[in-house]
Amino acid sequence: MYAAVVHTIGEAPRYAEFEEPTAGDGEVLIDVRASALTNLTRMVTRDPDYSEGRTPPFVAGVEGVGTLPDGRRVVFGARRAPFGSLAQRSVSPGILLFDVPDEVDDITAAALVNPALSSWLPLASHVHLEQGESVLVLGATGVAGQLAVQVAKALGASRVVAAGRNEDVLKELLNRGADAIVPIGGSDEEVAAAYAEAIGGGFNVVLDYLWGHPAEQFLGALPRELVVKSGVRYVQIGNSAGRLASLDGNALRRTGVNIISSGSLPDLDEVKAIWGRIMSESAAGNLKIDVVTAPITEIDQHWDKDVPGKRTVITI
Ligand SMILES: NC(=O)c1ccc[n+]([C@@H]2O[C@H](COP(=O)([O-])OP(=O)(O)OC[C@H]3O[C@@H](n4cnc5c(N)ncnc54)[C@H](OP(=O)(O)O)[C@@H]3O)[C@@H](O)[C@H]2O)c1
């Protein structure tokens, strides 16, 4: 078969021949249709924290959409190296299959799985967002952040504030459910003023896709009188602005911020139930995601070339 094969750690995979996978115990064979290029997909090929000991040559891709031998269309997780999802065929644990309804096409389902779960899982199972609470999405202009704005609304947030650097995407988010926007591309003083203008009654929940200096700016900008009484549930999801942030102890206590890692997963039945809700919201037109597609034969050209705010989905 043909696949996107990683020959050298840190270099883009190339379209090349690779051995056919066969399903082992508890696994199913997948005829792959589409797989998205996410940050996780790339990190698995170059970051020892994520590569779980993979050694080249191996097939890139951690999840995708495909069909089972009986024709069922599913999102699957590719977990057994050297096989990955960016290939004509892959293998998945049978328990890691999530149904895709007829109303949602392969490309949309492949694009949604990573970014939509990144906000829905923590909002539903880590911080238990309640109807009427307010949410700040820090890093709302990325693909996952744009979805987080829409997911927070779908889960009943009364007010969703979108903070990010790309002002065109920020403005577009006002059409996708954001109640206010905070541009964070300026100086610390400008960013603090933008937060002060948008903060309203404070935030119950923060979904942070950036970390780094934007996290420091947020903590520095949050004034005591606007912190909600129950404290802020601050979910750390991504590091797009940097792996490290200095946390001011005084600011943490003043703001009542409780930092929560998004790293732990609820049990699989809960994840599947959430995926079902994501598919329903997508079918109803309530979760918009901008996608560009490219064929797997061109994987090396598209591997490191994201279009800002859009997800690249590789078709097989
Ligand atoms: N834990 C999980 O389950 C999970 C799932 C999905 C994503 N993530 C993580 O979440 C992060 C975002 O993912 P994504 O899919 O949304 O990525 P993405 O589409 O590539 O977006 C990244 C965003 O980060 C912004 N950014 C980068 N540096 C910045 C800075 N210094 N200040 C302000 N904004 C900055 C970019 O803004 P510009 O457009 O202005 O460059 C872009 O909007 C990544 O770290 C990813 O690994 C985690």
Side-chain angles (χ1 to χ4, degrees):
M1 69 167 184
Y2 279 85
V5 182
V6 177
H7 292 98
T8 307
I9 291 291
E11 286 182 12
R14 294 196 307 272
Y15 182 68
E17 257 190 289
F18 201 81
E19 68 179 283
E20 286 277 351
T22 50
D25 272 356
E27 288 183 334
V28 287
L29 191 64
I30 310 279
D31 204 354
V32 185
R33 294 183 170 198
S35 178
L37 293 186
T38 65
N39 286 295
L40 178 61
T41 302
R42 295 188 179 104
M43 285 191 294
V44 165
T45 71
R46 58 188 173 212
D47 182 339
D49 279 353
Y50 287 88
S51 62
E52 294 177 347
R54 285 173 177 80
T55 48
F58 62 91
V59 177
V62 292
E63 77 227 340
V65 171
T67 50
L68 303 181
D70 65 3
R72 196 174 138 205
R73 211 159 55 94
V74 293
V75 160
F76 68 95
R79 291 289 177 276
R80 179 160 62 86
F83 304 109
S85 59
L86 284 159
Q88 290 176 313
R89 276 162 297 283
S90 186
V91 280
S92 170
I95 54 167
L96 268 190
L97 304 176
F98 299 71
D99 283 302
V100 179
D102 291 345
E103 299 76 23
V104 181
D105 63 70
D106 297 337
I107 288 166
T108 304
L112 280 173
V113 58
N114 165 288
L117 284 171
S118 79
S119 51
W120 203 304
L121 286 177
L123 285 175
S125 76
H126 293 69
V127 303
H128 306 287
L129 182 76
E130 290 177 14
Q131 298 280 321
E133 289 195 309
S134 61
V135 176
L136 170 73
V137 181
L138 189 48
T141 59
V143 173
Q146 291 181 55
L147 276 164
V149 169
Q150 302 169 71
V151 167
K153 277 287 175 181
L155 289 175
S158 59
R159 190 156 187 278
V160 179
V161 176
R165 187 167 64 173
N166 182 327
E167 296 200 20
D168 291 336
V169 178
L170 271 188
K171 282 181 193 135
E172 178 55 26
L173 283 170
L174 292 169
N175 300 322
R176 294 190 182 183
D179 297 287
I181 54 177
V182 178
I184 58 168
S187 66
D188 287 358
E189 293 71 26
E190 287 165 335
V191 172
Y195 273 120
E197 199 175 310
I199 201 165
F203 304 114
N204 299 99
V205 172
V206 175
L207 298 178
D208 180 8
Y209 289 91
L210 297 177
W211 203 234
H213 191 55
E216 297 166 353
Q217 285 177 319
F218 169 75
L219 282 173
L222 202 57
R224 183 195 287 272
E225 62 275 18
L226 285 175
V227 174
V228 290
K229 290 208 170 42
S230 55
V232 182
R233 285 114 78 205
Y234 187 111
V235 192
Q236 208 296 314
I237 304 175
N239 300 335
S240 288
R243 280 178 68 166
L244 300 180
S246 308
L247 299 180
D248 176 338
N250 288 351
L252 269 184
R253 290 191 302 281
R254 184 185 73 235
T255 55
V257 165
N258 298 302
I259 298 180
I260 299 160
S261 154
S262 69
S264 60
L265 277 181
D267 70 49
L268 266 179
D269 287 341
E270 191 177 343
V271 180
K272 283 182 185 176
I274 287 172
W275 175 249
R277 298 260 331 260
I278 290 169
M279 288 291 87
S280 304
E281 291 292 329
S282 171
N286 297 333
L287 292 182
K288 304 226 174 340
I289 182 166
D290 298 320
V291 172
V292 290
T293 60
I296 192 170
T297 49
E298 296 175 8
I299 185 70
D300 53 337
Q301 296 162 49
H302 294 273
W303 180 252
D304 268 323
K305 281 198 194 128
D306 272 340
V307 181
K310 299 188 182 189
R311 176 73 0 116
T312 302
V313 175
I314 300 297
T315 53
I316 316 296

